[in-house]
Structure formats: structure tokens, C-alpha cells
Amino acid sequence: MAALISSQRYTAEVRRLCADAVPSGVVVAPEPGSAVEHDFLLLRPHRSSHDALSPQVRRVGDHDLLVRFRNRDEQLVFEFWTNSFTGTPTSDDRSVDLLERYCAEQFPGTLRRFRTRIRRAVPSAADFSASLQQTYVQDGTRMVDVTVTCTQGGDVLAQAWATYALPD
């Protein structure tokens, strides 16, 4: 349960920061028939409340939005890429939260990267399965990559790929 407490707030926090940073009226939608995708890169998840972040918002074509947040020292803290952004909460955000919560309940550690592909909104009663892909050491930190799949009635609704820094 400690992982849930330490990681659950990160993607929601990044989405909130993006909603504040992206100019009003900027909307990005996936190509017709494509899944909604989000990629959260959390390089410095243990920041203090006094850290001032400066956002850099870049729209790439008609279907991509990249938002980077840097601290006072110009170090990259968070990066968020998506092919779907409305600036307001959506059912896809709820699906991301459910996937993140399931990952955090299964794997201890601090979330460092979280990528999702949402084909259809994830209901609370959906079936989740997780698999460990690999463990490794990066810059002296033990890391784990995992995959989570959400299904209902045999149909894949959503998938997530997560990277966690494991506790010592």
C-alpha cells in the first residue's frame, strides 16, 4: 500500500499542472479510430512544495501535445505527452487513475514513468492483470518495468506500462 500513497498523486498532479499551463482553448484529439495515449515521465518526483516549476508547452501537429516542467535550475522535473487534451477532467483521466492505482497496489516503489493506451473507458468492475517485464539497475537505483492490462468480457480496454524505482 505504500506504493499507492507514494505514486498515486503523480499523474493527477501532472495533469493538474498541465491544465494550468496549457493556454485556454488548446485542444488536442487523437486521430480518428486511435486510442487515447498519455506518457508521464517523472524525473524528480520528490520535489518540495517550494519548487517553482516553469512549463514549456509545445503542440506537435494536430494530434500531439508535449508539456515539460523545469525547476529553477532548469532541470527537467516532469514531462507529459498526449494525443488527447481538453484541459478539463475526462473519463480517460479516470481510466489512467484506475490503472495507476492498480499498478501501485501491485508493485512497491516510486513511479518514474507511466504510459497508457486507453481504447475504451475503464469501469471500476473491469479485470486487471499485471506482469513484471524486467528488473535492472539504473544510476545505482534498482528499477522495475511492469505492464498492466485491463479487460472486460475478453476485450482489452486499456494498457499501461510503468517504471518504478524500488525502495532500498
Side-chain angles (χ1 to χ4, degrees), residues 67-81:
V67 184
R68 291 183 170 139
F69 294 92
R70 297 185 183 277
N71 63 16
R72 289 180 196 164
D73 298 327
E74 291 298 313
Q75 297 171 317
L76 187 60
V77 177
F78 299 129
E79 182 177 89
F80 174 67
W81 168 86

Side-chain angles (χ1 to χ4, degrees), residues 96-114:
V96 170
D97 290 342
L98 289 170
L99 287 162
E100 184 181 7
R101 181 178 303 127
Y102 182 81
C103 275
E105 289 171 352
Q106 302 302 307
F107 300 98
T110 302
L111 187 63
R112 294 297 177 90
R113 186 168 196 170
F114 196 68

